[in-house]
Amino acid sequence: MSIQFDVITLFPQMFEALKRFGISSRALEKNLYEMHLWNPRDFTNDNHRTVDDRPYGGGPGMVMLAEPLQKAIESAVDRQLSRGLDRPKVIHLSPVGKPLTHRAIMELSQYAGIILLASRYEGVDERLLSRCVDEEYSLGDYVLSGGELPAMVMMDAIIRQLPGALGDADSAVEDSFVDGLLDCPHYTRPEEYEGMRVPEILMSGNHAKIKEWRLKMSLKRTRDKRPDLLTARSLTKEESRLLSELEQEQESL
Ligand code: 9D3
């Protein structure tokens, strides 16, 4: 069966972005995944359909109530169990979560089903998190308005890993970031644009030389913009040689 996403959100319409455009839309048409949306407001009983309240101890902002979230999560879990799937992992997108990495995406893409909790306001009642949530992920150290965009980011990254999601043209491009280096520069027509020419080597037809040039440019970019990626990773003989070539070339300037 295709991977099952159940998302708990006050703004289910935001997820139209994922359903309607690009690779994630094509993957949905190919039945590579299913996405089911659950609004905590539909699990309230009062006239105002209240999903949040003021924080105990005072302070700014509102906190999401445990009960509507627990009911929504339980409905989502029951849906997946009734499909014969194992109990799904419940993931909360949160500024206090661990950083979302390529490695985490690869691990998550192995699951048959995932439940994503996208929260709003200042946070969620801690008792809901301790009772119902297995893991928390953050996109990085900057403040967003809620967990919906992070949930879509996570799903987009998982979906493009699913076999059959990428056309052949896309999948070749994939290799570069996955091996821990930044991508090389790309060029297309025309041969000369505003006085700037395409690097001669790319027009040579020498595919071994082109491959080597691309690797060298990846190494150069990674060294210049993300040296942390180079220290995190061991180099092949060819990569070490190309890096010392780069250093030699720089000295001679
Ligand atoms: C001062 C306390 N704020 C924490 C930085 C409260 C707060 C702000 C914004 C609590 C939640 C949010 C909404 N953000 C997310 O839900 C979120 C998020 C983010 O803001 N940055 C990076 N990754 C993520 S994942 C979910």
Side-chain angles (χ1 to χ4, degrees), residues 93-95 119 121-123 137-147 150:
L93 291 309
S94 164
S119 56
Y121 312 114
E122 286 305 293
Y137 282 101
S138 162
L139 287 203
D141 297 336
Y142 40 85
V143 183
L144 302 171
S145 307

Side-chain angles (χ1 to χ4, degrees), residues 124-243:
V124 178
D125 191 308
E126 189 64 23
R127 295 165 295 184
L128 180 282
L129 298 176
S130 62
R131 168 71 54 88
C132 299
V133 168
D134 299 307
E135 294 186 76
E136 295 192 302
Y137 282 101
S138 162
L139 287 203
D141 297 336
Y142 40 85
V143 183
L144 302 171
S145 307
E148 282 80 9
L149 290 171
M152 283 189 265
V153 166
M154 184 181 256
M155 284 190 283
D156 184 76
I158 292 171
I159 288 163
R160 50 182 292 115
Q161 294 304 322
L162 301 174
L166 298 183
D168 285 343
D170 301 314
S171 54
V173 173
E174 192 70 352
D175 300 340
S176 192
F177 182 68
V178 171
D179 66 14
L181 296 176
L182 298 184
D183 203 5
C184 63
H186 302 284
Y187 298 87
T188 186
R189 292 196 293 179
E191 241 174 80
E192 186 173 319
Y193 178 69
E194 306 235 320
M196 297 174 286
R197 295 197 50 80
V198 173
E200 211 49 56
I201 182 101
L202 297 178
M203 326 284 267
S204 70
N206 184 338
H207 293 290
K209 278 285 168 210
I210 290 170
K211 190 159 178 257
E212 187 188 73
W213 179 87
R214 286 181 169 154
L215 177 57
K216 192 170 175 178
M217 289 304 112
S218 284
L219 286 161
K220 176 172 161 47
R221 273 193 172 173
T222 309
R223 183 200 61 187
D224 294 349
K225 302 181 199 214
R226 292 290 307 279
D228 58 300
L229 293 178
L230 282 183
T231 49
R233 176 180 177 288
S234 54
L235 296 175
T236 67
K237 266 197 184 141
E238 187 188 24
E239 289 166 353
S240 306
R241 174 174 61 78
L242 292 171
L243 262 179

